[in-house]
Amino acid sequence: MALLRPIFILGLAALSLPITWTQVLIDTDAGSDDFMAIAFLLSHPSVRIEAITVANGMAHVEPGARNLVRLLELAGRREIPVFAGRSAPLRGKAEFPAEWRRISDELPGVALPAASRQPEIRRAADYLIERLKNGRQPVRILALGPLTNLGEALQRDPSVAAGIQEIVIMGGAVRAPGNLTDGDVFHTANKTAEWNMFVDPWAARIVFRSGVHIRLIPLDATNKVPIGAEFLREFRSAVRSPLGKVVAQVLAADRQMIDQGYFYAWDPLAGVALLYPRIVKTSPLRIEIRQDPPEEGRTIQTAGPPNADVAMDADAAAFRKLFLEALQN
């Protein structure tokens, strides 16, 4: 870590420079850390969110989509459409623990306004295929949950890869251990997979073999950015914006995980890295997705041409600064 410090000092100086306008599609499973990442991007003046697609993951797709419509209502961004995806992985029946899903569906203690509209009728994969094939400028995608929607779109029509400029993916664990047993809620022999990849490894394989440019933000990087009680206290005392207050409420709902020391800036780090690439240190690697027990969902480095720029480290101080500044006022 000491060897990386000079690099991160230079990177932090560069972070103060203006960044270019960014148009993005967000694919999310509507968990608490997803809300943090989306609130950050909604608060940033350089970002235009074109649409949000909801994958089956932490939240079930229908309540997750409704919650995101309410978040957009709070942000005054009713023009952003929300599309719900399929309710199961492309293959298998893996899912997040039931209690985690209940919390993501119900968002206890989080004050969101009633929605003035419903999610779109079209399903997520249908929207993605149409949007990525219609000849408009290729778009960047921020993928924050299982890759089911993107995998389905690419499986049905591989040519849509040409419409994707880049996918920034939160998921996987390359040299870090997996996180399926964190909190002792889920019991498994799989010690290598991260949740997003574990839930739909077949979809992840499709995406990683699609030829799309991928920036992967795995546990190797997010483990360097813990969200602890001190960060929660600082954040709650500093934020004044409606979106910032919702993020504080979301964090409060996850207080048990925070106090037990296994809550990290998973999706928020990916959201910040979308705009500020230097906040993470990446290496070009060839990543394959294991399909069979006891390593289903493992993101393993293999020989061959790189198919992803993989974040192996992150600057926690820079993350805290940028995240707090965006949501403060």
Side-chain angles (χ1 to χ4, degrees):
M1 187 68 179
L3 293 174
L4 295 173
R5 188 60 57 193
I7 295 172
F8 280 142
I9 289 173
L10 291 173
L12 186 55
L15 292 178
S16 63
L17 299 174
I19 59 176
T20 57
W21 182 79
T22 297
Q23 183 162 312
V24 62
L25 298 176
I26 299 176
D27 187 60
T28 171
D29 63 344
S32 57
D33 59 321
D34 301 65
F35 270 69
M36 294 172 66
I38 295 167
F40 168 79
L41 293 175
L42 286 168
S43 301
H44 208 288
S46 74
V47 177
R48 178 179 179 263
I49 300 173
E50 189 172 328
I52 298 176
T53 55
V54 184
N56 176 62
M58 278 290 281
H60 296 83
V61 289
E62 299 300 342
R66 289 193 296 269
N67 288 337
L68 286 163
V69 168
R70 296 171 65 199
L71 181 69
L72 295 171
E73 190 86 23
L74 178 74
R77 303 293 298 278
R78 299 178 187 88
E79 79 280 6
I80 300 174
V82 176
F83 300 88
R86 58 187 290 142
S87 60
L90 291 185
R91 289 189 180 180
K93 298 179 180 180
E95 61 180 354
F96 283 85
E99 179 61 13
W100 294 2
R101 304 198 79 186
R102 183 193 68 79
I103 291 172
S104 297
D105 289 349
E106 298 176 5
L107 296 177
V110 179
L112 290 172
S116 60
R117 61 188 175 110
Q118 295 295 317
E120 304 298 313
I121 295 175
R122 261 188 307 170
R123 308 309 291 182
D126 296 330
Y127 163 75
L128 287 169
I129 292 169
E130 180 181 343
R131 165 61 183 90
L132 298 173
K133 282 181 67 70
N134 71 1
R136 284 192 282 168
Q137 182 178 0
V139 69
R140 302 171 79 193
I141 297 176
L142 177 64
L144 302 174
L147 296 173
T148 307
N149 290 331
L150 295 169
E152 181 181 0
L154 287 162
Q155 180 174 255
R156 286 167 53 186
D157 189 343
S159 72
V160 302
I164 303 173
Q165 178 183 345
E166 175 189 47
I167 307 177
V168 177
I169 298 172
M170 189 281 125
V174 180
R175 297 170 191 162
N179 66 350
L180 301 182
T181 58
D182 284 3
D184 200 31
V185 176
F186 183 69
H187 301 286
T188 177
N190 188 331
K191 307 300 181 186
T192 60
E194 175 274 334
W195 273 105
N196 286 344
M197 300 297 174
F198 172 76
V199 167
D200 200 341
W202 184 252
R205 172 179 279 186
I206 292 170
V207 172
F208 275 84
R209 292 184 175 182
S210 68
V212 171
H213 179 251
I214 293 171
R215 261 197 299 147
L216 181 66
I217 314 297
L219 299 185
D220 306 73
T222 63
N223 285 352
K224 308 295 175 60
V225 191
I227 300 292
E230 181 181 351
F231 175 87
L232 178 56
R233 286 192 297 270
E234 178 185 4
F235 188 85
R236 293 172 72 174
S237 66
V239 295
R240 297 289 181 270
S241 71
L243 283 171
K245 291 178 180 178
V246 162
V247 170
Q249 293 167 356
V250 166
L251 286 169
D254 286 312
R255 186 60 190 262
Q256 182 178 358
M257 294 174 66
I258 292 171
D259 289 342
Q260 292 177 356
Y262 62 94
F263 194 91
Y264 297 88
W266 299 292
D267 293 342
L269 181 62
V272 174
L274 176 80
L275 304 186
Y276 301 95
R278 293 188 183 185
I279 202 170
V280 294
K281 183 182 179 184
T282 62
S283 298
L285 301 175
R286 178 82 187 175
I287 298 296
E288 289 289 341
I289 313 298
R290 289 279 173 84
Q291 301 295 310
D292 299 321
E295 293 189 331
E296 63 272 43
R298 181 181 181 184
T299 45
I300 188 168
Q301 179 184 350
T302 63
N307 61 353
D309 291 321
V310 181
M312 303 303 292
D313 207 343
D315 187 338
F319 166 81
R320 287 192 291 267
K321 176 179 182 292
L322 291 165
F323 189 78
L324 187 58
E325 285 179 351
L327 289 159
Q328 198 162 13
N329 299 311

